[in-house]
Amino acid sequence: MTTKVQAAAAAGGKMGNGDAASTSVSPALVLLAGWLVPGTGHLLLGKWVRALLLMVSIMGMFAIGIALAGKVYTPNTGEPLDMLGFAGDLGSGVLYLLARLLGWGQAPVLVAVADYGTKFIVVAGLLNIVAAVDAHSLASGRKQS
Amino acid sequence: MNLSHFSAVLLFSLFTSIVFGITQRTEPKKMVRFAAFCFVLFVAGTVAASWAMWLIKP
C-alpha cells in the first residue's frame, strides 16, 4: 500500500523534481553525516544554502551555550533529568564529543544565564537531530525538496 | 560571555526558527514565512509569559 506522501515523492522523482532521487547518496549515510556534523547531511545532497544555515544555527547555538557557561551532561549520573539532558546533548554529534574531550561545560551552574546556556546546548542537539532526519527524508524521497 | 535575558531570547528564537523553517516546509518562500512566524511566536510568547509571571507574583 502506498501512502499519499510516498506517491507524491515517487511522482516528484519521476518528474526530476525530487533532488534526492537524482542523487546516489545513501539515506543512512546522509543521516549519520547530518548527525555527526550539523548541516553535512544537506551538504551531501547539494543543498548548500540550507546546509550553511543549519550549520551556523546549530553550531552557533552550541557555541553560545558553552560561552554562557552552560552544563554539558554526562551519562550514568543516575538522575532521570540528567539522562534526558545527555540524550539531547548527544544529538550534537562531534560537538558533544569535542566538548567532553576539551572539558567544556563542566563548571557548576551558578547564574541564570548559565542555565540558559545549558538549554542552548540541549536544544542545539535536538535541532541537529531534526535537521539530520530532514536530510534523511530528502535522501529517501519522503520529502520532495 | 554575558547576555541579557532578552538578547538570549532573541538568539534562541532566531536559531530555532531557522531550523524549523528549513525542516518543516518544502519551498524556500514558505520556509522563510514559517521561520518568521516561529520567531514572532517565540518572542511574543516569551514576553507574554514574562508579563503573566509579573502579574501573578505575590
Side-chain angles (χ1 to χ4, degrees):
Chain A
M1 186 177 158
T2 306
T3 64
K4 286 181 181 176
V5 173
Q6 289 168 332
K14 283 175 188 169
M15 289 187 294
N17 295 332
D19 290 344
S22 60
T23 61
S24 57
V25 187
S26 155
L29 177 67
V30 168
L31 181 69
L32 186 68
W35 168 62
L36 284 174
V37 182
T40 311
H42 288 79
L43 198 63
L44 286 175
L45 297 173
K47 297 185 179 300
W48 60 272
V49 176
R50 295 186 203 183
L52 192 67
L53 284 169
L54 289 170
M55 195 176 282
V56 168
S57 299
I58 294 166
M59 286 187 172
M61 207 159 182
F62 190 89
I64 290 171
I66 295 292
L68 289 174
K71 176 183 176 182
V72 173
Y73 288 98
T74 53
N76 302 323
T77 59
E79 293 288 331
L81 287 178
D82 282 1
M83 289 160 72
L84 287 174
F86 168 70
D89 281 3
L90 203 58
S92 297
V94 291
L95 293 177
Y96 175 76
L97 296 176
L98 198 65
R100 289 294 305 279
L101 284 175
L102 299 177
W104 295 340
Q106 301 302 315
V109 172
L110 299 174
V111 292
V113 287
D115 197 37
Y116 293 168
T118 305
K119 304 303 181 280
F120 267 66
I121 294 168
V122 172
V123 172
L126 296 175
L127 289 176
N128 191 39
I129 292 171
V130 171
V133 170
D134 182 64
H136 179 270
S137 298
L138 286 167
S140 64
R142 187 179 169 84
K143 187 180 178 187
Q144 284 188 45
S145 61
Chain B
M1 184 180 190
N2 202 3
L3 286 176
S4 71
H5 293 218
F6 188 64
S7 51
V9 168
L10 290 180
L11 284 171
F12 182 93
S13 305
L14 177 69
F15 291 140
T16 309
S17 301
I18 289 171
V19 177
F20 279 2
I22 291 172
T23 57
Q24 303 303 310
R25 293 294 182 270
T26 53
E27 297 166 26
K29 192 179 282 186
K30 287 182 178 175
M31 288 178 183
V32 173
R33 285 184 63 180
F34 188 67
F37 175 69
C38 288
F39 181 79
V40 170
L41 271 190
F42 272 126
V43 176
T46 307
V47 172
S50 306
W51 275 107
M53 285 187 281
W54 182 80
L55 288 171
I56 63 173
K57 72 178 179 181

